[in-house]
Every structure is written in structure tokens, then in C-alpha cells.
Amino acid sequence: MGPTVDQEMENSAAGEVGTLAQALRHTERLLSANPHAAEQQAREILLAAPGHPIALLFLGMALRRQGRADAARDVLQPLAAAQPKSADVRYELGLALNELNETREAAETFRAATMLNPKSPRAWLALGDTLHLLGDSAGADNAYARHIQASVNEPRLMEAAAMLCEGRLAIAERMLRAYLKERPTDVSAIRMLAETGTRLGRYDDAGKLLARCVELAPGFVAARHNYATVLYRQGKSAEAIAQIEILLKSDPRNANYRNLMAASLARLGEHEPAIAMYEDILRSTPSHPKTWMSYGHTLRAVGRQQDCIAAYRKSISLAPNLGESYWSLANLKTVRFERKDIAAMEAQLARTTGLSDEDRYHLHFALGKALEDEKNYEASFRHYDEGNRLRRESLEYDADDFTDKVERAKNLFTRTFFESRKDWGHPSAEPIFIVGLPRSGSTLIEQILASHSQVEGTMELPDIISIALQMDGKKRNNEPSAYPEILKTLDAPSLHGLGEKYLSGTKLQRRLKRPYFIDKMPNNFLHVGLIQLILPNAKIIDARRHPMAACFSGFKQHFARGQGFSYSLTDIGRYYLDYISLMEHFDRELPGRIHRVLYERMVDDPEREVRRLLDYCGLPFEENCLRFYENERSVRTASSEQVRQPIFRDGLEQWRNYEQWLAPLKGILAPVLAAYPGAPAT
């Protein structure tokens, strides 16, 4: 057998002489600048040399770059059959298949290319992008890691890349930090270190590394895509959009870039443009299950429930193993699964291969909800418990570390400390913070307040947590944190500046320009002291629910990210105790500063509790606040469908159906159960 296309291209590039070689090199130069001229040149070569493999490859490339992917496929498929050892032909064929919406075939073609040439970075990257679109997150992550590995040839970086591919992140991180001390501007190493940070959930560190990466190498496309993704995960959607726009200039049809753009627009509250973009993507690539799922998320936020359900169902029909789509249906809280749905999920869980842990735990959470609706509580709990166990294994949550954070906050934030810094922060009274445990009524309170003519609802804003993280100073998990003690060193202008930074960062979310706005990030209870220092006139509302109800509701819920304490009955019980302890501390040190809303009292007497809430916020009573369920604003949390209905009592005692399996939780919560105001006997 003669040389492969790949080998002939290497020979030509190395300086093969002759008229044919010159014509081929000319065609290659034309491919990017003028693909139409490249097509004509390739056809002329084929007239002189029929069946020449490089000319056929260039012809296929030129056709695809003109947007004629079907013609490119017709050229490249027989060439791939004739050149069974050519990775280059398979790579180009995979690109054409992707553009023709033959995504699964494209994935297999890229996989074949990586097997033929495991050192091809572009083939691994294309495989990762395609698997991501197909909903295979684990496969995509592995391909992306192999892309990084194939992109480096320095021995130490190759070794670190091998550790990354094997999931040995701590070793990879240590090796990369040592390497970067010697070569601080090596963008490949910087990107690789950022990837370890991303996989460890350290998005702030990863973002800083990737910002440096694209500063040093503006044309490093893979790093810029990583950077945009990390910015999105940090909640910095406007910054993410700026990076995606740069990417789209060079590759406007890239489905991954466009999906990330649509998701970023939705995160900013630009739901209609996001929906339009998803619909445009799906017109050209209707077989991408994750795009259908993301489209469903956006439809859900604007209250188009039936369209949302249809989008989730379409996603499942395309990828029956995509557990997140099943969970998304369950998470609507209003959908009842049929027996055929339950059987389909059980069949997926019965698979011994081809199902990622991520799909598996999403399916367990969805089955937990499905069987709860059928009142099969024992089987339901088994699925909730197994889903939580699998999710907990992928996290680094440390309950002792969180308790330490709470104790340090209590030691620092005393009445004397606050009095000595009175009014040092920004004087704005515009923010209304709602804090507490997730699933404790915070979305209900937000919807009530956002129904007032002077208040704008936004979302769970990441800005306070981001400010705290920036003061943290940690480079590794095992290093001591400078926060919150670093706040002792800040003077009045510094605290005022942090308040200004918060207000500036949240402006993008304030589309209605009302006098007040809501920041409904439950985890901000840990940062009440910071809020008091930088925004002393802001309102703080503590959304509280019966300890057993709140904790078990969190245990049943799979959160996208940020709630690592919720995947163990022991962890969530300890977290609740820490939360109560810190809130009691602020009640003593800042009496009357925090307004508490008990979910059960809001259910029992909505008008009384709404009036109390509005009085605390300094707002006149408005009837619309009692008809909050008529508010058509977008809602992006797990309670989105529930707050579009009048208040109901159904959820108050649901935990009792599982009481016989909740002994560990009940034992931990014993100190606060009897003390809960108006608590029924347990």
C-alpha cells in the first residue's frame, strides 16, 4: 500500500518538488482566504491526476468552507474508505458530518481519527465538542483532557497532562505550579493549571489564570473558550459574552459557542434573545439533546411550561441516557411521570456500561421524585439516598471547615466591631438580600416583593460571594483563608468602594430601574457581616422553614452547583445548625437588623406576613403582593412553577413520609427542633 494522505501531506510540506506539488501547496494556501478558488484549483488538479488523495481532501475542505457540507461529505466518505489509515480525512469528514447534523456519526468519525492519531489536538478537541453536544459530559471531559495532553510536547507538561487525564488532579496541580515558577508565561501550562482548577470547582482561580492566558496569547482559541465557560460558571455572564463574541467572529457557526452565548443571555435575563438563538441553533442542528435541554430551561424561566416540557421530552428522545433531562422534568415539581417513564429510567440505571455517574445520579433524583408522587416512599428514599451518595463522592465539601468559617465570623462580627465602623460602607438602601437555606421559601418571598411596584426581582446574584472570594487569598484548599479577618484591615473608603463595586456589578440585572432590587442568594447568610459593613442600609431577610422540612427538601434536590452540603443527611443537618447559630449571633449583635420570615406563618396568614415584610422594607402595602402568582417575571430557581400558583400547604409536612429513614438527621437537629417557633410536635 502506498503512503496515506497524512504522509503525502507531510512530504509535500517538507518540500516535495514538481508542478503537482506546487499546485497542491497553492490550493492549501487558498483554503482559508478563498475556498471557492481552492475548489477550482483542486478540480483542475484532479483533471490532471484523477483520484489524487490530497486534491480530494482539499476539495472536500473547500466545499465545506463554502457551506456545502453535503457535497463535502460526498467527496470525503469514499476517500475515507479508500484511505483507512488517514486521521486527517476522518477529521475533515467529521466536521462535515457535524454541519449536516449527523452528530453521532461525526463523534464516531472523530473517535476514529483520534485512534489513528492520538497526538492530534484538533481531533480530540472536535471529539470533546461533539460529545458535549450529545450530552456525554464524562466522555467530553476525557476528550478535552486528551486534547490538552496532545497539545504539549515538553516532557514535564506531558507528565502533568497524563495526571490530568487520569483524574489525579492534586498531583497535576503540584507539577504545574512547580513548572510555572520557572516558566510563568507558558500559556499551555497556564491553561492546563486552569483546567485542574475548573475540575476542582475553583472557578475564581481558573478565571484569573485563563485571563492571563488570553492576554499572553490572544489567538489561543481553546483557552478563550475555556475562559468564557468559567466566566459563565462564575455568574459573570456579561464578561462571558464579550469572550464568546470574539470566538464567534472567527467561527460563527460553532454550535458550542452559540449554545454558551444563549445560556449567557438567559443568565442575564435576556430570555427572548436567548430563546431566539436556541431556536436558530435547533433549526440547523435539531439532534443535539443538550441544546434542547438548555432551551427547555429558558422556556421554563419565562413560564412557557408546556413548551418547556416538550423540549425536555425531545432531549430525552434523542439521548435516553441523559439523566439531567429527566431530572429537569422532575424538578418542575408539577410533572407526574408515567409508568413507561419510570421503566425507561430504571432500564438506564440497570446498564453496567455507557452511563456516566452524572447521568446516574440525575436519574436517581428523578426516580426519587417519580416514586414519591406514587407514594412509594421506601423505594423513593432509596433513590434519593443513592443519588446523594454518588453526588457527594464527586465533591470536596468539608463540614468541619464550614463550622470553622461560622465560628470565625462570630468571633469577628461583634457589636463593638460594627459600631466602630458605623456607616463606613456605601449608603445605598437599594439592595434587599434574602438569605437562608435553599428550599426554605426564599423564591416565594422574592416573588411577593417583586410584585411590588418599587421592587425589581433579579436572581441569585454571585457578587457578594465573589467579593468574599477575592479577599480569601487562598491558592490551595488546604491553605488558611484571610477572610473574614482581613475586613479588620479595611478603612472607610475601602468598605465604601466594595459597596460601590457590588452596586456596579449588579446593574446589568436591573432592567426595570425600580428603586429597590432583590439579591436572592441563600448562601449569603455566611456573609451578613460583610453586607453590614459595605451596605449598612441594605435590607436583609432570613427565609426560614421547619428544620426537618428544610433539610429534607434540600436532600431531595439536586442543585446545579454551590450547595455541596446538601448531599448527606449528616452534612445538611450540621449546616442547618451552623446557619441557626450564626443567625442567632447576628440577632444578638445587631438586634432588629435582620427580618425573619417563617414559611409556615406565611402559609397560615399570608396577608399578615406580607404586611410585616413590606413594613420592614419601608414599602407601602400593595394588593399585587398578595397576588404574586400573577406576576409574569422570569424565575430561574427550583421553585419557579410553585411560585406561579397561590400559596398551598401541601409541602409543609412532606418530610414525615420519610421519617423512619431520617433518624440521623433528626438526631443532629434535636437542639433546634423544639425551639423552632410554632413547631409542631416531632
Side-chain angles (χ1 to χ4, degrees):
M1 180 179 291
T4 66
V5 173
D6 308 52
Q7 291 166 338
E8 289 195 23
M9 288 184 68
E10 288 177 11
N11 293 336
S12 178
E16 181 183 329
V17 295
T19 304
L20 178 59
Q22 290 174 358
L24 289 169
R25 285 197 292 274
H26 180 56
T27 309
E28 186 174 16
R29 285 193 295 271
L30 287 172
L31 279 169
S32 296
N34 191 339
H36 180 75
E39 177 196 352
Q40 298 308 311
Q41 180 78 45
R43 291 191 185 280
E44 289 177 12
I45 294 170
L46 288 166
L47 286 173
H52 193 286
I54 298 180
L56 285 169
L57 175 59
F58 285 168
L59 176 60
M61 294 168 70
L63 291 167
R64 185 185 64 79
R65 293 185 184 191
Q66 293 176 64
R68 297 160 62 191
D70 52 347
R73 177 193 56 194
D74 292 345
V75 170
L76 294 168
Q77 274 185 334
L79 180 60
Q83 293 283 329
K85 294 186 178 180
S86 172
D88 288 344
V89 172
R90 277 153 185 78
Y91 171 75
E92 291 296 334
L93 176 58
L95 296 177
L97 291 169
N98 252 342
E99 292 187 14
L100 290 168
N101 193 35
E102 297 177 20
T103 315
R104 295 189 185 280
E105 294 83 353
E108 291 309 309
T109 305
F110 288 133
R111 199 184 305 278
T114 62
M115 292 175 68
L116 287 165
N117 183 7
K119 295 183 179 180
S120 172
R122 64 180 187 171
W124 283 114
L125 181 59
L127 177 60
D129 287 346
T130 307
L131 291 175
H132 177 75
L133 290 170
L134 287 170
D136 184 357
S137 300
D141 284 347
N142 178 65
Y144 288 140
R146 294 295 299 271
H147 161 67
I148 291 173
Q149 185 179 32
S151 301
V152 297
N153 52 24
E154 205 281 346
R156 290 164 65 188
L157 290 186
M158 292 174 69
E159 189 178 355
M163 295 297 102
L164 180 62
C165 289
E166 294 172 16
R168 300 165 72 179
L169 302 180
I171 297 174
E173 180 183 35
R174 186 166 62 248
M175 295 171 69
L176 290 164
R177 289 192 184 280
Y179 179 86
L180 283 166
K181 282 184 179 179
E182 300 172 17
R183 302 182 187 181
T185 59
D186 188 318
V187 291
S188 294
I190 295 172
R191 182 199 173 203
M192 206 183 304
L193 181 58
E195 179 67 17
T196 65
T198 300
R199 295 195 181 197
L200 290 167
R202 299 184 204 143
Y203 299 120
D204 193 55
D205 288 345
K208 291 174 183 175
L209 288 164
L210 290 165
R212 176 63 172 157
C213 207
V214 297
E215 178 188 1
L216 290 168
F220 196 168
V221 173
R224 192 176 296 278
H225 186 202
N226 292 154
Y227 185 34
T229 302
V230 167
L231 288 169
Y232 171 76
R233 290 178 179 175
Q234 287 179 286
K236 299 178 179 179
S237 298
E239 294 95 325
I241 287 171
Q243 298 301 319
I244 303 164
E245 286 174 341
I246 296 171
L247 292 166
L248 285 170
K249 284 179 182 177
S250 60
D251 192 358
R253 292 183 293 172
N254 187 294
N256 279 294
Y257 300 166
R258 295 168 74 203
N259 269 294
L260 187 56
M261 175 65 87
S264 299
L265 288 169
R267 183 76 66 82
L268 277 178
E270 298 280 1
H271 295 293
E272 294 310 321
I275 288 170
M277 179 165 276
Y278 279 129
E279 289 173 347
D280 182 56
I281 296 168
L282 289 167
R283 273 192 291 272
S284 58
T285 55
S287 66
H288 290 173
K290 278 210 165 180
T291 305
W292 281 104
M293 183 178 70
S294 298
Y295 178 46
H297 295 340
T298 311
L299 293 169
R300 169 182 174 167
V302 298
R304 290 172 55 183
Q305 186 182 103
Q306 293 308 310
D307 291 337
C308 160
I309 292 170
Y312 289 151
R313 291 282 186 191
K314 178 66 174 178
S315 175
I316 290 168
S317 72
L318 292 167
N321 64 314
L322 189 53
E324 189 176 353
S325 289
Y326 275 111
W327 167 244
S328 297
L329 275 174
N331 200 28
L332 287 169
K333 314 300 184 188
T334 56
V335 171
R336 292 290 185 104
F337 286 110
E338 298 177 8
R339 285 306 308 174
K340 64 180 180 181
D341 296 317
I342 294 173
M345 288 188 276
E346 289 174 338
Q348 289 296 323
L349 285 175
R351 293 169 59 179
T352 56
T353 60
L355 191 68
S356 70
D357 282 348
E358 181 181 355
D359 288 321
R360 199 170 289 278
Y361 60 64
H362 276 121
L363 286 165
H364 278 298
F365 277 103
L367 274 168
K369 174 64 168 64
L371 294 167
E372 179 177 4
D373 289 340
E374 291 195 341
K375 296 183 170 51
N376 187 350
Y377 300 117
E378 182 177 4
S380 168
F381 183 80
R382 284 201 307 271
H383 282 290
Y384 283 138
D385 196 41
E386 181 62 12
N388 277 285
R389 185 192 66 79
L390 286 170
R391 186 71 174 100
R392 182 71 175 83
E393 286 180 351
S394 67
L395 300 171
E396 292 188 332
Y397 179 75
D398 185 335
D400 290 335
D401 180 63
F402 188 79
T403 298
D404 179 64
K405 289 177 181 176
V406 167
E407 291 304 313
R408 289 167 62 193
K410 288 161 63 176
N411 290 335
L412 176 67
F413 297 125
T414 63
R415 186 177 307 198
T416 302
F417 180 80
F418 288 124
E419 287 176 350
S420 66
R421 294 161 174 79
K422 187 177 180 181
D423 298 326
W424 280 19
H426 195 286
S428 173
E430 296 169 6
I432 301 173
F433 292 92
I434 304 176
V435 304
L437 247 67
R439 310 292 297 142
S440 293
S442 57
T443 305
L444 172 61
I445 297 169
E446 178 192 37
Q447 189 78 341
I448 290 168
L449 287 173
S451 300
H452 196 283
S453 62
Q454 297 185 48
V455 183
E456 180 169 1
T458 58
M459 57 177 285
E460 295 180 352
L461 302 176
D463 300 75
I464 287 293
I465 292 174
S466 179
I467 290 171
L469 284 172
Q470 288 167 17
M471 291 188 286
D472 188 279
K474 291 171 61 174
K475 295 189 181 299
R476 297 181 178 85
N477 280 351
N478 59 358
E479 290 182 354
S481 168
Y483 176 84
E485 289 82 4
I486 195 173
L487 291 168
K488 292 188 293 187
T489 69
L490 302 187
D491 57 15
S494 298
L495 293 175
H496 184 282
L498 288 175
E500 177 62 39
K501 180 178 181 179
Y502 171 83
L503 293 168
S504 175
T506 55
K507 274 184 181 177
L508 280 170
Q509 300 290 342
R510 301 184 63 184
R511 306 193 175 280
L512 303 180
K513 310 302 180 188
R514 292 179 178 176
Y516 304 97
F517 72 98
I518 301 166
D519 182 340
K520 193 197 78 69
M521 175 62 79
N523 310 67
N524 278 342
F525 78 83
L526 184 62
H527 307 296
V528 164
L530 172 63
I531 294 170
Q532 174 65 18
L533 289 173
I534 69 174
L535 294 161
N537 296 315
K539 302 300 183 184
I540 305 174
I541 299 163
D542 175 20
R544 192 171 296 186
R545 187 179 178 190
H546 185 274
M548 290 294 291
C551 290
F552 185 62
S553 186
F555 186 74
K556 294 194 301 178
Q557 181 72 32
H558 180 265
F559 299 95
R561 60 180 55 88
Q563 312 297 350
F565 63 88
S566 68
Y567 301 107
S568 153
L569 291 175
T570 300
D571 286 346
I572 200 169
R574 289 186 58 183
Y575 188 89
Y576 190 95
L577 292 183
D578 286 332
Y579 150 66
I580 294 296
S581 173
L582 188 57
M583 291 297 98
E584 289 177 345
H585 170 83
F586 284 119
D587 286 345
R588 291 190 298 270
E589 303 301 316
L590 295 171
R593 179 72 178 87
I594 300 170
H595 178 75
R596 188 154 293 115
V597 176
L598 302 182
Y599 180 74
E600 294 80 9
R601 290 181 180 173
M602 180 67 78
V603 171
D604 285 341
D605 194 340
E607 183 170 347
R608 181 190 66 189
E609 292 303 312
V610 168
R611 287 183 179 277
R612 287 183 63 246
L613 178 63
L614 296 177
D615 285 346
Y616 167 76
C617 293
L619 296 167
F621 177 77
E622 291 182 1
E623 281 291 333
N624 283 345
C625 294
L626 293 177
R627 297 196 303 274
F628 60 87
Y629 45 87
E630 297 175 359
N631 191 332
E632 295 183 356
R633 61 178 284 268
S634 65
V635 183
R636 283 167 274 183
T637 65
S639 304
S640 61
E641 300 311 308
Q642 293 161 300
V643 297
R644 293 190 172 106
Q645 307 170 43
I647 289 177
F648 54 89
R649 300 187 56 85
D650 295 0
L652 292 180
E653 300 287 293
Q654 284 180 345
W655 66 271
R656 291 188 179 279
N657 297 320
Y658 297 86
E659 189 167 4
Q660 62 180 300
W661 301 289
L662 300 181
L665 176 62
K666 202 169 184 180
I668 291 170
L669 294 176
V672 296
L673 286 175
Y676 185 76
T682 59

